[in-house]
Amino acid sequence: PAATSSPCMPNDPRTSLAPGSQIDCYRIRRLIGSGGFSLIYLAEDEDLHDEVAIKEYLPRAYAVRDTHGQMRALDSTKLTSLHRGRALFHKEASILGALRHTNIVNVRNCLQQNQTSYLVMDYAPGRNLGQYIKQRRGGMSTHFLLHVFPPLLDALAQIHERGMLHLDIKPANIHLATGRRPLLLDFGAVYRLDEDKTQRRTNVISPGFSPLEQYASAGDIGPWSDIYAVGATMRACVEGVVPLAAAERKIKDTLPPAAGRFRKTHPEPLLQLIDWAMALDRYARPQSAATLRDRLLLLRETITPEETFDETE
């Protein structure tokens, strides 16, 4: 059985796999990340002798690891939620396994061990965009925005073309690999547009990044929903804070347009694209990821170096 280490963080009942623990042909090196539903490790593929990232399904609210290294439910009332979450984890593995794009994390394998599941992915050194925003308190340059978001939107366009929505785009789900190559992460909330529309949809909500239509189980979600989240993420890069939640904006929209608030540091055409993507009315937004991608690429070609306001990052 796999050994365990100390709890991941204060008040977290979970324990992480200890360095040296073995998952199939992968040897754990160290814990490199954690979220509400999973732990992420750096590991070595002992057959190929290269580094991989391994995502372990271990939801904080439903499960713990016992003294034998096995996942178990916190109590009997959590069993249904635990199994439902594991099914979604497998769904994410299936979706990622079918996607091939330089800006989508590449999945190598999906394994079952320790009474739970593991997603084995390519390891890309870099940093999380959410953490980068916190560290810098926003202030990302025009150059940064115009080079990070077009490739992300290109990946999103491929996802939409395959009849799927991501529905959880936010800074924490974007990884900046070496050379600032963005990688879209966490496909646990993916929704297939061909799913039975008579079934009640359970939505993942990330306040500040989820659009208004995502709050309702029968809301009119579509590619425009992911576009709102992209716009909100771009704004967070500039402002350094989570934007006002769409549900609050509906009651009283006190969010000032980016085109007015940041015009001293960023070109107005770029800020107007952010405001366009963040329109509360879904019909007032770009209707496809390709549309917003192409507008950003055009802006990147036409903007002069003096207009980039590009500080050292």
Side-chain angles (χ1 to χ4, degrees), residues 149-151 153-155 157 161 288-298:
F149 285 92
L153 284 159
D154 193 67
E161 286 167 6
S288 74
T291 297
L292 185 57
R293 175 201 64 200
D294 291 347
R295 291 288 294 272
L296 287 170
L297 287 173
L298 179 62

Side-chain angles (χ1 to χ4, degrees), residues 92-100 104-110 119-122:
E92 177 183 11
S94 174
I95 289 168
L96 281 170
L99 292 171
R100 288 291 180 270
I104 297 175
V105 63
N106 183 53
V107 167
R108 297 186 176 199
N109 208 346
C110 186
L119 201 57
V120 183
M121 303 169 285
D122 287 350

Side-chain angles (χ1 to χ4, degrees), residues 13-14 36 44 81 117 145 147 150 170 172 201 207 212 229 237 243 270 290-291 293:
R14 300 174 296 181
E44 180 183 0
S81 296
S117 300
L145 296 173
H147 285 78
K170 56 187 176 184
R201 186 179 72 239
L212 193 59
C237 285
L270 173 61
T291 297
R293 175 201 64 200

Side-chain angles (χ1 to χ4, degrees), residues 62 67 70 76 80 99 133 174-175 211 216 224 238 251 290 295 303:
Y62 311 137
T67 56
Q70 309 296 296
S76 60
T80 300
L99 292 171
I133 290 172
I174 296 170
H175 178 75
W224 47 85
V238 174
I251 298 170
R295 291 288 294 272
I303 205 165

Side-chain angles (χ1 to χ4, degrees), residues 13-90:
R14 300 174 296 181
T15 54
S16 61
L17 294 171
S21 299
Q22 197 78 22
I23 303 296
D24 195 66
C25 64
Y26 308 100
R27 185 168 294 277
I28 300 297
R29 288 188 180 175
R30 66 179 187 274
L31 181 73
I32 58 173
S34 65
F37 291 89
S38 59
L39 304 178
I40 302 175
Y41 305 91
L42 175 64
E44 180 183 0
D45 183 329
E46 295 191 323
D47 291 337
L48 300 177
H49 302 291
D50 57 2
E51 293 180 323
V52 297
I54 298 181
K55 183 176 182 178
E56 177 185 42
Y57 176 64
L58 195 69
R60 183 187 302 128
Y62 311 137
V64 292
R65 196 191 315 278
D66 65 21
T67 56
H68 299 291
Q70 309 296 296
M71 182 182 75
R72 62 174 178 82
L74 278 170
D75 56 62
S76 60
T77 66
K78 309 294 187 183
L79 279 171
T80 300
S81 296
L82 185 64
H83 294 319
R84 183 185 299 121
R86 192 172 178 184
L88 291 174
F89 189 87
H90 289 166

Side-chain angles (χ1 to χ4, degrees), residues 224-246:
W224 47 85
S225 305
D226 281 338
I227 288 166
Y228 182 97
V230 170
T233 298
M234 292 178 70
R235 180 168 181 132
C237 285
V238 174
E239 194 167 16
V241 298
V242 175
L244 185 67

Side-chain angles (χ1 to χ4, degrees), residues 140-304:
M140 305 302 187
S141 69
T142 297
H143 177 86
F144 180 94
L145 296 173
L146 291 179
H147 285 78
V148 166
F149 285 92
L152 276 177
L153 284 159
D154 193 67
L156 201 52
Q158 182 187 103
I159 294 167
H160 293 165
E161 286 167 6
R162 291 176 177 246
M164 295 181 286
L165 305 174
H166 187 282
L167 294 187
D168 198 21
I169 295 170
K170 56 187 176 184
N173 286 341
I174 296 170
H175 178 75
L176 297 176
T178 304
R180 297 226 181 95
R181 176 172 65 95
L183 287 171
L184 191 54
L185 310 176
D186 201 335
F187 285 68
V190 162
Y191 176 76
R192 294 184 184 273
L193 291 168
D194 59 359
E195 288 182 3
D196 186 355
K197 300 300 187 293
T198 64
Q199 299 297 314
R200 183 178 178 83
R201 186 179 72 239
T202 301
N203 290 339
V204 171
I205 300 296
S206 293
F209 301 100
S210 298
L212 193 59
E213 66 270 14
Q214 205 166 318
Y215 282 77
S217 62
D220 187 14
I221 60 172
W224 47 85
S225 305
D226 281 338
I227 288 166
Y228 182 97
V230 170
T233 298
M234 292 178 70
R235 180 168 181 132
C237 285
V238 174
E239 194 167 16
V241 298
V242 175
L244 185 67
E248 295 180 46
R249 292 182 64 196
K250 182 184 179 184
I251 298 170
K252 185 178 181 181
D253 194 357
T254 59
L255 187 71
R261 189 176 182 101
F262 308 111
R263 65 178 182 274
K264 292 183 179 179
T265 57
H266 293 74
E268 188 173 358
L270 173 61
L271 300 174
Q272 288 173 341
L273 291 181
I274 294 174
D275 290 334
W276 185 27
M278 287 189 69
L280 276 178
D281 181 355
R282 74 94 159 165
Y283 291 103
R285 296 176 216 144
Q287 297 297 288
S288 74
T291 297
L292 185 57
R293 175 201 64 200
D294 291 347
R295 291 288 294 272
L296 287 170
L297 287 173
L298 179 62
L299 188 58
R300 193 168 81 186
E301 291 175 1
T302 57
I303 205 165
T304 65

